[in-house]
Amino acid sequence: MRTETMQATPEIWGGVECSIIRLRNRWRDELSETGHAGRLDDLDRIRQLGIRTLRYPLLWESISPDNIETADFAWHDKRMPRLKELGIEVIAGLLHHGSGPRYTNLLDPAFPELLARHARRVAERYPEIRRFTPVNEPLTTARFSALYGHWYPHRRHLPDFARALINQCRGVALAMRAIREVTPHAALVQTEDLGKTFSTPLLGYQADYENERRWLTFDLLFGRVERSHPWFSRLIDHGIPEQELQAFVDEPCPPDIVGVNYYPTSERFLDHRCSKLPAGASVGGNGRHHYADLEAVRMHLPLGSDGPEPRLREVCARYDRPVAVTEVHHGCSRDEQLRWLNEVWSAANRLAGEGKNIAAVTVWALFGCVDWNSLLLRKDGAYEAGAFDVRSPSPRMTALGSAVREMAGGAGLKHPVLDSPGWWRRDTRFFSPPFETTAERSGGGDARKVLILCKDAALGSAFCRIAAHRGLEFIAFPANQMDITDPHSMRRLLLKYRPWAFVHAATPQGAEAGPVGSIGTGNGPADGAVLASVCAAAGVALMTVTSDALVGKTLTDRLVESSPITPASGIRNLNAAAETMVMKHHPAALVIRTSAVFGPWNTADVLSQLLDEIAADRSLRLPADAVCSPTYLPDLAHAALDLLIDGETGIWHLANDGAVSWSDWAREVAQSAGLDARLVLGDHGRGVLAPAALASERGQLMPSLASGMGRFLRECDVRWNKTSAAIGS
């Protein structure tokens, strides 16, 4: 057994999301879906972060997919030597949420021995590997596969759950025995999700049951599940022979490092009060009571009872072993990802400062993950970025990656978004309003802010709403309250508010003239020079957002009246001149180009106005040969703010993935909204709108157009019908 020494401060480890999930006769492979399987140079990117220890897959399903007697190490033979050259130590994962190759499964009596054979083969092939995780999260995998039926073998019975858990833990013990026959001092890094369950008093017995169950992986391996253990008799009742449990006691396989995987929603709250449940809550039961299983973080719990710090304290108190947080990831906006990493990192360092043996914090899913919001059950392509965003031609480092590099270098996290608490610490998280304010703020009134200039109503409103939703401190200014052509007033403004970023939601070139000073209105492209120069001199990040397509009342009126309007190509040329001027005076500026925008807040966007016309039984003649890339405003604001936080610069094209003609778009949405799509008439050859579809060479960060339109219809503040204009929802 390897002796793990105590670290003065936690290390930063990394991990690559690598699950291979079997869903009946389908397989999901996260290495392929994130593209890491085809990018050897990802290993160099990991080393650039300063990471020297990496949880990395040598998965049974990929090495011996068809027969335990054969193995293909070609992929790994390219990567293991490179990792060694880079000075990165590997923690080898042999099974990650899988049920094994197609010739076995979690309920197969031969499963533990087969896994041990794979483990020995890996150890023999790569003797330099000193740390292993034979099975990631055995308890969680047993629950999802054999108790809830999500993954193969899709069972929903307690005896199957018990067998799946015992097989995996026995597989861990046999795998480590086989590995240590090759590498005597190999260390076991055992991982498990340890979220706690809370409940109403009536359901306290069920919470106790689940809280005892959550320790089973570690208690089995430590040899603690003997006759006095609360789960000993339960496992016997579920069909596990006593001699199998006794084998763990007689020959324990204690982890050298106890790995805790913990997420913002890992902790649960069981609530039987049906009249007080949030809308849409799913009610189940245990045969004795009916109740909902809710996110504990959204309930009013005693201060300090949930979160990473109390869970780490529990683990340290229960097991006399080094503890590592082996997965830190949050599939949310960039600011929330940074806040979550900072909270876990801060908790780990506080405990280390108290003398607790906290070995490391692992930044998980370095290259993101796909469809984990549905446990991979749906193939939606829902991508969550990590330290890198793989949706660009080559993986692009995010603000999370920059934070990892700072932490690995011994520095603390400093990003301005950390001045505000994560959503799991804000009062808006609760299912019901709190009796008093409980949000925890690190910066309070001194939190660094974003200034938002709302020259364009639809764009400005969207950025304000999304910034508020994300907990970003901001101050919004309407068009008539700021003159960006006056350098003195702009300097006074920046000195007064000391923002870290300035967002200019600009009116597009060629639109109705607005107040003097906006980029694209009034005096022309040079107007942005003052704003850019002042922000650059003050060290303030600048983001401008402009549309290639006309928005608002002017577009609808002109389309309805069949009057000539500015060609999109001309608008684009004017916008390009303004953007060039901005970047000349602020080389680090971020310039966002988008197309026709539409949103759920009735902000006079083009789609809402077109639907108003159709709902009023007025026919529309829209171009049938002018293609555009309609853009859902919430998606645009989220993606643009992520880029701003990442510190990206230059021109980015952001639009929902997909292009459509104006007439087809209006017709499709009208039909979906229950309106008479026949009122939309396609007009060929009018020549009033040149093709305005947007494409980006820097990456597609936005969901599909179909996804955006579907959410528009579900989330819109107004509803339309065939006999009246828009009405309140």
Side-chain angles (χ1 to χ4, degrees):
M1 182 183 300
R2 174 171 171 163
T3 301
E4 295 289 342
T5 58
M6 182 171 178
Q7 302 290 331
T9 58
E11 297 177 354
I12 287 291
W13 294 352
V16 176
E17 172 54 45
C18 57
S19 299
I20 295 181
I21 302 293
R22 185 175 180 182
L23 304 168
R24 303 198 184 278
N25 292 319
R26 291 191 299 120
W27 298 80
R28 299 290 300 269
D29 183 346
E30 288 285 286
L31 288 180
S32 295
E33 295 192 34
T34 60
H36 177 68
R39 294 189 304 263
L40 180 61
D41 56 357
D42 277 357
L43 304 182
D44 296 86
R45 295 185 178 94
I46 293 171
R47 184 62 187 87
Q48 289 168 7
L49 297 178
I51 288 174
R52 292 187 175 274
T53 301
L54 181 69
R55 292 186 63 196
Y56 204 67
L58 290 97
L59 298 183
W60 185 10
E61 295 97 333
S62 62
I63 292 172
S64 298
D66 301 313
N67 192 316
I68 192 61
E69 304 298 335
T70 61
D72 181 359
F73 285 99
W75 188 84
H76 304 83
D77 283 347
K78 295 178 181 178
R79 285 156 178 80
M80 293 302 110
R82 183 58 185 151
L83 286 165
K84 187 176 181 180
E85 290 173 5
L86 293 169
I88 298 176
E89 181 179 4
V90 168
I91 302 174
L94 308 183
L95 192 71
H96 199 97
H97 285 318
S99 58
R102 63 183 76 254
Y103 49 84
T104 188
N105 64 76
L106 298 178
L107 308 180
D108 179 7
F111 177 92
E113 288 78 12
L114 291 171
L115 176 60
R117 291 182 65 182
H118 170 66
R120 176 186 291 276
R121 183 178 282 152
V122 170
E124 291 173 340
R125 187 82 172 191
Y126 306 112
E128 69 273 16
I129 299 179
R130 301 294 177 178
R131 291 174 173 174
F132 291 83
T133 302
V135 180
N136 175 68
E137 294 188 1
L139 177 69
T140 302
T141 303
R143 287 166 48 217
F144 288 1
S145 299
L147 190 58
Y148 309 150
H150 298 321
W151 304 333
Y152 193 84
H154 304 288
R155 302 295 181 87
R156 295 171 181 251
H157 302 289
L158 280 167
D160 292 326
F161 158 76
R163 172 49 58 196
L165 175 63
I166 294 299
N167 272 1
Q168 290 177 93
C169 290
R170 185 62 178 162
V172 170
L174 294 184
M176 290 309 299
R177 180 189 300 172
I179 290 167
R180 285 169 176 157
E181 289 174 358
V182 179
T183 308
H185 299 294
L188 169 59
V189 181
Q190 184 55 57
T191 61
E192 191 58 84
D193 186 305
L194 282 182
K196 190 173 182 178
T197 299
F198 302 85
S199 72
T200 57
L202 178 68
L203 296 172
Y205 71 94
Q206 181 66 30
D208 290 342
Y209 171 90
E210 297 187 14
N211 286 328
E212 291 165 351
R213 184 184 68 186
R214 69 189 172 121
W215 301 108
L216 273 176
T217 292
F218 296 122
D219 281 0
L220 283 165
L221 294 173
F222 273 98
R224 296 186 180 186
V225 184
E226 34 73 46
R227 288 182 177 275
S228 63
H229 193 283
W231 266 84
F232 183 88
S233 59
R234 288 172 183 154
L235 290 170
I236 298 293
D237 291 342
H238 296 331
I240 303 301
E242 184 172 347
Q243 60 267 30
E244 286 195 55
L245 297 181
Q246 189 62 38
F248 287 102
V249 178
D250 294 340
E251 296 184 80
C253 182
D256 298 278
I257 295 179
V258 175
V260 179
N261 298 348
Y262 185 83
Y263 291 81
T265 57
S266 287
E267 301 187 285
R268 313 303 298 177
F269 188 94
L270 309 181
D271 198 334
H272 71 283
R273 302 167 296 180
C274 295
S275 63
K276 295 186 177 182
L277 295 180
S282 177
V283 177
N286 57 11
R288 179 176 168 186
H289 288 106
H290 291 284
Y291 55 85
D293 184 335
L294 307 172
E295 298 167 342
V297 72
R298 298 189 182 280
M299 305 299 293
H300 301 287
L301 299 175
L303 188 65
S305 60
D306 65 332
E309 186 168 331
R311 300 294 76 80
L312 288 173
R313 290 188 182 280
E314 286 181 330
V315 178
C316 291
R318 191 176 181 98
Y319 304 112
D320 184 20
R321 283 290 189 277
V323 175
V325 183
T326 38
E327 287 185 17
V328 177
H329 174 75
H330 189 14
C332 199
S333 59
R334 196 77 75 246
D335 40 301
E336 301 289 29
Q337 289 183 317
L338 287 167
R339 292 166 185 152
W340 180 242
L341 175 60
N342 186 55
E343 179 161 336
V344 177
W345 179 244
S346 299
N349 276 276
R350 278 194 297 272
L351 267 63
E354 296 173 8
K356 303 291 192 299
N357 195 345
I358 307 296
V361 171
T362 308
V363 182
W364 188 245
L366 290 173
F367 297 95
C369 55
V370 180
D371 286 337
W372 262 104
N373 61 337
S374 67
L375 297 177
L376 284 81
L377 299 179
R378 298 194 306 269
K379 202 169 179 63
D380 296 334
Y383 176 73
E384 302 169 6
F388 296 92
D389 190 325
V390 304
R391 294 172 295 182
S392 293
S394 61
R396 178 181 62 83
M397 187 184 296
T398 66
L400 197 68
S402 299
V404 172
R405 190 165 56 187
E406 292 172 5
M407 294 159 63
L413 276 66
K414 302 175 182 177
H415 202 287
V417 300
L418 298 176
D419 290 353
S420 302
W423 69 262
W424 56 94
R425 298 294 180 199
R426 301 196 293 268
D427 287 343
T428 52
R429 73 186 188 272
F430 294 118
F431 288 128
S432 58
F435 295 110
E436 59 184 16
T437 299
T438 60
E440 303 169 11
R441 293 182 177 273
S442 56
D446 296 329
R448 288 165 286 183
K449 298 175 175 62
V450 177
L451 300 188
I452 303 176
L453 176 58
C454 304
K455 289 289 188 180
D456 179 272
L459 290 174
S461 174
F463 277 93
C464 291
R465 288 172 181 265
I466 296 303
H469 172 73
R470 291 167 60 149
L472 291 171
E473 297 288 341
F474 73 94
I475 299 175
F477 293 87
N480 61 359
Q481 290 187 11
M482 185 185 298
D483 182 1
I484 64 173
T485 65
D486 182 351
H488 300 293
S489 64
M490 289 303 302
R491 291 191 192 99
R492 287 195 297 271
L493 190 75
L494 297 187
L495 283 172
K496 178 179 180 180
Y497 294 107
R498 298 191 178 278
W500 68 271
F502 192 109
V503 175
H504 183 193
T507 305
Q509 293 283 348
E512 290 288 301
V516 173
S518 68
I519 295 180
T521 62
N523 297 333
D527 296 340
V530 170
L531 172 63
S533 297
V534 173
C535 286
V540 175
L542 173 63
M543 178 171 74
T544 68
V545 188
T546 56
S547 170
D548 277 337
L550 290 173
V551 295
K553 184 173 186 297
T554 56
L555 174 61
T556 301
D557 287 347
R558 289 172 177 176
L559 286 173
V560 171
E561 297 167 4
S562 299
S563 299
I565 61 177
T566 306
S569 57
I571 299 170
R572 183 170 296 171
N573 290 336
L574 290 170
N575 283 342
E579 293 159 356
T580 300
M581 188 65 68
V582 167
M583 289 186 291
K584 176 182 178 182
H585 293 275
H586 195 320
L590 173 62
V591 174
I592 303 296
R593 290 179 180 173
T594 190
S595 187
V597 295
F598 64 105
W601 305 301
N602 194 28
T603 51
D605 62 85
V606 59
L607 183 58
S608 295
Q609 293 203 30
L610 292 176
L611 290 175
D612 284 347
E613 296 294 324
I614 299 169
D617 278 336
R618 289 195 285 268
S619 62
L620 294 173
R621 286 191 173 275
L622 300 178
D625 49 7
V627 177
C628 63
S629 301
T631 304
Y632 191 49
L633 276 168
D635 292 344
L636 170 68
H638 275 301
L641 288 171
D642 280 350
L643 290 173
L644 178 66
I645 292 168
D646 286 344
E648 285 294 335
T649 63
I651 297 174
W652 279 79
H653 293 170
L654 295 182
N656 289 96
D657 190 17
V660 66
S661 72
W662 285 88
S663 58
D664 287 344
W665 181 37
R667 195 177 293 115
E668 180 179 347
V669 181
Q671 186 173 13
S672 299
L675 301 175
D676 188 356
R678 294 172 297 180
L679 292 171
V680 180
L681 306 176
D683 196 345
H684 293 271
R686 256 173 95 200
V688 296
L689 282 176
L694 271 183
S696 178
E697 297 178 355
R698 303 187 69 178
Q700 176 52 260
L701 307 185
M702 308 272 281
S704 69
L705 176 57
S707 170
M709 290 197 299
R711 283 176 285 126
F712 168 81
L713 293 170
R714 290 193 303 271
E715 300 166 4
C716 199
D717 288 344
V718 298
R719 297 291 182 267
W720 291 269
N721 60 44
K722 294 183 179 180
T723 58
S724 65
I727 57 175
S729 58

